[in-house]
Amino acid sequence: MKIDEAVNIINSTTTVRAKVDDGVMYVHEKLNSDDDWFMRVSLYHLGWSAITADFDTCLDDDVDVMDLARVMDVIQRLLDTPVKERFPEKKYVLSAMRCAEGPFAIKQYVDAININTNNVEFHFGLANETANAMEFTQEDLDSLSDFFPKAAIDAMKEEVKDNG
């Protein structure tokens, strides 16, 4: 289970909320401030030793028992996920400044790669449009180094923001 998925499930409950800050997930009552967490989960550790709980002080009767059960289920599923798989994998697009409209350079994004026995070529989409741009993982980009210099790929790559 990915961290953002766990937060979304917990935040879909009516009486409990979760947030992530600096590698730690804080779980608190919906109506209490973020500082009044009743459970803190270190996202870089395995097992229940990653959990710090303060049920006596910060957990009121206002928390629905079904919401609390859901939180415990989500936390267990998160702890069962290897640490590396909890974090969303970064995605990238490739872009280049091209003289496609007369003497003016415009930014275009790669929307296809054609590979055949004789050559490899990028196909660029419309100017400044990322909607149809191909997305790559770092592993995908590393495999392109069989065809293109790594420095060229690194110069073209841009991280896709707001990955889900």
Side-chain angles (χ1 to χ4, degrees):
M1 170 176 277
K2 301 242 184 261
I3 295 165
D4 53 349
E5 180 184 4
V7 169
N8 288 338
I9 292 170
I10 292 171
N11 287 345
S12 71
T13 66
T14 57
T15 61
V16 180
R17 291 291 175 264
K19 75 171 192 167
V20 174
D21 187 29
D22 200 24
V24 177
M25 178 189 296
Y26 296 92
V27 182
H28 58 91
E29 287 184 54
K30 181 178 180 181
L31 300 177
N32 280 354
S33 77
D34 291 347
D35 294 334
D36 291 337
W37 52 267
F38 63 82
M39 186 181 301
R40 182 174 66 187
V41 183
S42 173
L43 300 173
Y44 293 99
H45 295 92
L46 293 172
W48 283 93
S49 62
I51 307 265
T52 304
D54 188 5
F55 296 121
D56 294 336
T57 312
C58 299
L59 185 63
D60 293 335
D61 293 336
D62 297 335
V63 172
D64 183 76
V65 69
M66 295 304 290
D67 288 350
L68 188 57
R70 173 162 263 195
V71 167
M72 299 309 281
D73 175 61
V74 168
I75 297 298
Q76 182 62 60
R77 289 176 23 208
L78 187 63
L79 293 175
D80 289 342
T81 304
V83 172
K84 184 178 178 184
E85 293 176 22
R86 294 177 189 173
F87 296 90
E89 188 170 23
K90 290 182 181 179
K91 298 282 186 172
Y92 301 94
V93 292
L94 298 178
S95 68
M97 296 299 288
R98 303 183 68 227
C99 293
E101 294 179 5
F104 302 105
I106 59 171
K107 187 177 205 175
Q108 290 181 291
Y109 292 89
V110 173
D111 64 5
I113 299 178
N114 298 323
I115 302 175
N116 62 42
T117 56
N118 296 329
N119 66 350
V120 178
E121 55 189 37
F122 291 124
H123 182 267
F124 291 91
L126 299 175
N128 296 314
E129 187 176 307
T130 60
N132 295 321
M134 289 181 70
E135 291 188 355
F136 301 89
T137 63
Q138 185 60 50
E139 185 178 343
D140 296 335
L141 294 176
D142 292 342
S143 70
L144 285 177
S145 66
D146 294 341
F147 304 104
F148 302 101
K150 182 179 179 345
I153 298 297
D154 286 345
M156 293 174 66
K157 83 177 184 181
E158 295 178 19
E159 185 176 344
V160 175
K161 297 296 180 191
D162 201 19
N163 258 347

